[in-house]
Each structure stands twice: as structure tokens, then as C-alpha cells.
Amino acid sequence: MDALAMALGPVFVAGFALQQLLELLDPWLDPLLGERKRQVYACIAVLYGLLLAIFTPIRVLQPFGIEVGYVDVLLTALFISGGTKGINDLLKWLGYQKERAKAQLSEAQIRRV
């Protein structure tokens, strides 16, 4: 799991950076955008995620051994555009899967892990 968390670390950092960018832009963009603020921020987030996914080796599915090209790029862009929430949800789900698998082990198997 540690290797997986390290592999997904760049996605988390990119999502966090996006949140910080939007926080910095908010005082200037809020008066200009009015009621369209959420839509514009969503477009900025998806564009940011797409640019990072296209021009960097950051991928969400790759740590799982899945390489499906454009699908991985799109999923990575969506995870990044969601800020830190998407990656937190993924890591939480992986933790639940680990605990579920651990619960099915015998005492002798648990001692070896």
C-alpha cells in the first residue's frame, strides 16, 4: 500500500495545488464571475487536470497495472480536477479493501504480514 500511496502522491499534490490556485484567484475572479463562478472554476479545474495528465507522466490507473491510454488520461484529469477529495476517497477505499482482506486471513497468516 505504501508504494501505491507514493505512486498516487503526485496526483494528490496536483489536486492540492489546484485548490490553492483557485483560492488565490478567488478574490479577483469572484467579483467578475458572479453566478457563473462554479462553472468557470470547474472548467479551470478540468483544463488544469487535462494539461497535467497530457504533458506529465502522472497517471491514476498506472499504479494498478492498468494501461489504457486515453482513459487513464481522462480519469487522471478528473481526479486532479476534484482537488484532494478524489484521491482521499480512493485511498480510503483502498484502506477498506486492505482491512477486508486482512480480516479473511488466519492468525498465522496475519503474523507473517
Side-chain angles (χ1 to χ4, degrees):
M1 173 101 147
D2 292 332
L4 182 61
M6 288 186 64
L8 294 174
V11 176
F12 178 81
V13 170
F16 181 76
L18 171 65
Q19 283 182 266
Q20 292 305 108
L21 173 66
L22 293 177
E23 285 290 322
L24 291 172
L25 293 176
D26 192 57
W28 291 289
L29 294 179
D30 192 32
L32 297 172
L33 300 175
E35 293 184 20
R36 296 181 312 164
K37 177 180 164 181
R38 288 183 60 150
Q39 293 90 348
V40 172
Y41 277 23
C43 289
I44 291 171
V46 170
L47 181 61
Y48 171 85
L50 277 172
L51 289 172
L52 282 178
I54 290 169
F55 295 110
T56 68
I58 297 174
R59 297 290 180 272
V60 171
L61 295 178
Q62 201 170 37
F64 297 103
I66 303 169
E67 295 196 28
V68 286
Y70 291 111
V71 173
D72 199 3
V73 169
L74 290 174
L75 286 176
T76 300
L78 290 174
F79 262 91
I80 291 172
S81 70
T84 56
K85 185 183 181 327
I87 197 68
N88 281 335
D89 290 346
L90 176 62
L91 291 175
K92 189 184 298 184
W93 178 80
L94 289 172
Y96 293 147
Q97 297 304 313
K98 179 181 175 183
E99 292 302 317
R100 182 181 299 153
K102 191 175 176 181
Q104 295 174 352
L105 297 175
S106 69
E107 287 296 321
Q109 290 172 319
I110 292 174
R111 278 187 244 124
R112 283 187 272 158
V113 175

